Amino acid sequence: MSVMQIELTRPDDWHLHLRDGAAIADVAAATAAVFGRAVVMPNLRPPVTTTAAALAYRERILTALGGAAGFEPLMTLYLTDRTTPGEVAAAAAAGIVGCKLYPAGATTNSDDGVTDLEALSRTLEAMEEHGLPLLVHGEVTDPEVDIFDREAVFIERVLAPVLGRHEGLRVVFEHVTTSEAVEFVASAPARVAATITPQHLLLNRNAILAGGLRPQNYCLPVLKREKHRRALVAAASGGDPSFFLGTDSAPHPRSAKESRCGCAGCYSAPIALALYAEVFSSAGRLDRLEAFASFHGADFYRLPRNRDRVRLVRSPWRVPDAYPFGDDEVVPLRCGEEIGWRVERVEP
Ligand code: NCD
Ligand code: ZN
């Protein structure tokens, strides 16, 4: 008989985009309703490159939430070719949880990203010294490399070498999408971890391209073949503490996504935990959802685990076609379709 409800320690989202301005209020509440904390990505326009900017952004998020039930945004710095060791020290002292590496041009708002990681060695040394993790968007930007191969090539060309040069550097390989990335992280030392999104666990690349083009399923790194999806499910549900929840919920206004050059990013915040529950339920491993969603990430970031709880109840509902988003709207993953679980907060 299938499990009808489960309770777990309140989860955290270790990779999230909250955007800025009026849109924050529309999307942050969806995350705060379920998750205790979230690692907030710094790819605003202009990017969040200093500790002062990150702390100001944190205040805008908290203001937009109006003090919603104990949600804690965990802030990150956007690495550029000019990030100094002094900025890293200031960030660590201010409670910033990591520095995000976007190879220049890899994804949305990454134009100011890093062009030469080797030239940043003193900054990376400061991160080692302060125990500040490097969060990587793991794709090469070389136009010669096929978009479906960019993650695997990144491992060889960038990730393995930087881990070799910096033996104390802690790294989160964000939103892994391939069996190559899973194998790399599983066999790497404990200082290397990875986040996995709901879309990469549930969908393969047919979900973007077969039977009509579905922009709501288009993100970067792009969805891959079925064999990669299966490797991700095995990693997420396998109990290895190196893998944890990171939605990469990345809302874009419908007008920007459904256009001649549509933005990359899937919006999942309101349904993310329910989507992960579907994945773990179909894998027959609901018993491992809590560790993936609520323990492994906190342990890696050396933060306490949450103490309050949420309940997932098997009770299908229909996901809206769109949610409000500033003066536009955002089309979520699974739009207009059924989802199997509902999330409730458990009163202490
Ligand atoms: C993200 C965004 O829109 O900010 N897009 C995405 O497809 N995941 C950027 C990112 O995390 O790559
Ligand atoms: Zn992201």
Side-chain angles (χ1 to χ4, degrees):
M1 214 191 72
S2 60
V3 179
M4 293 310 288
Q5 66 172 54
I6 56 163
E7 257 187 49
L8 39 145
T9 300
R10 192 176 177 192
D12 302 300
D13 184 351
W14 300 98
H15 183 127
L16 176 67
H17 299 267
L18 286 179
R19 309 311 189 199
D20 209 349
I24 302 179
D26 291 326
V27 295
T31 293
V34 174
F35 296 93
R37 296 165 288 198
V39 171
V40 181
M41 291 296 132
N43 62 330
L44 304 181
R45 261 178 222 275
V48 179
T49 55
T50 64
T51 303
L55 296 179
Y57 183 29
R58 182 171 184 279
E59 286 308 310
R60 295 200 294 283
I61 295 166
L62 291 172
T63 303
L65 278 168
F71 175 74
E72 192 184 350
L74 302 171
M75 307 313 292
T76 57
L77 282 197
Y78 182 114
L79 275 183
T80 73
D81 290 337
R82 295 165 305 283
T83 309
T84 62
E87 194 62 58
V88 168
I96 304 291
V97 300
C99 296
K100 181 72 192 273
L101 166 67
Y102 289 103
T107 185
T108 307
N109 295 355
S110 62
D111 298 349
D112 297 308
V114 173
T115 61
D116 180 5
L117 196 55
E118 280 187 59
L120 268 185
S121 63
R122 291 196 45 250
T123 300
L124 297 180
E125 280 163 21
M127 291 173 62
E128 289 179 74
E129 194 182 312
H130 294 281
L132 208 59
L134 178 71
L135 318 182
V136 300
H137 182 106
E139 290 191 288
V140 293
T141 53
D142 181 348
E144 303 273 297
V145 179
D146 188 274
I147 190 156
F148 290 99
D149 299 331
R150 287 182 179 187
E151 184 174 277
V153 172
F154 180 88
I155 298 171
E156 281 163 46
R157 288 197 194 165
V158 183
L159 187 55
V162 77
L163 287 166
R165 290 196 300 274
H166 298 275
E167 294 187 339
L169 189 65
R170 311 178 70 240
V171 171
V172 184
F173 194 167
E174 299 290 348
H175 41 52
V176 288
T177 66
T178 57
S179 60
E180 288 89 342
V182 163
E183 281 156 28
F184 183 83
V185 172
S187 57
R191 67 188 170 106
V192 182
T195 53
I196 312 184
T197 76
Q199 65 267 25
H200 293 103
L201 289 166
L202 281 165
L203 306 174
N204 64 38
R205 61 197 200 176
N206 287 1
I208 315 171
L209 298 170
L213 191 60
R214 289 188 180 75
Q216 73 274 18
N217 295 338
Y218 169 61
C219 66
L220 287 172
V222 72
L223 298 174
K224 304 296 193 299
R225 285 180 182 278
E226 177 63 10
K227 68 170 182 184
H228 296 292
R229 188 191 71 81
R230 286 171 191 257
L232 295 168
V233 172
S237 63
D240 180 341
S242 310
F243 297 98
F244 43 85
L245 185 158
T247 63
D248 193 21
S249 178
H252 289 278
R254 182 200 277 270
S255 54
K257 218 161 150 56
E258 299 176 7
S259 78
R260 194 164 55 170
C261 182
C263 298
C266 297
Y267 181 54
S268 64
I271 54 167
L273 188 59
L275 292 175
Y276 285 110
E278 282 189 4
V279 173
F280 279 70
S281 174
S282 355
R285 294 280 15 171
L286 266 178
D287 59 319
R288 290 195 176 146
L289 177 60
E290 182 179 44
F292 175 79
S294 317
F295 297 161
H296 296 166
D299 296 350
F300 181 84
Y301 277 92
R302 298 170 174 161
L303 293 168
R305 295 176 180 181
N306 292 324
R307 310 206 24 195
D308 45 345
R309 301 176 70 73
V310 296
R311 184 182 297 122
L312 276 153
V313 182
R314 208 186 282 270
S315 153
W317 57 288
R318 190 178 160 280
V319 178
D321 293 323
Y323 287 92
F325 189 65
D327 51 13
D328 203 317
E329 56 181 13
V330 54
V331 179
L333 276 177
R334 198 52 83 77
C335 51
E337 289 173 46
E338 196 168 270
I339 190 159
W341 299 84
R342 200 180 278 285
V343 184
E344 296 170 358
R345 293 281 288 281
V346 177
E347 295 310 321

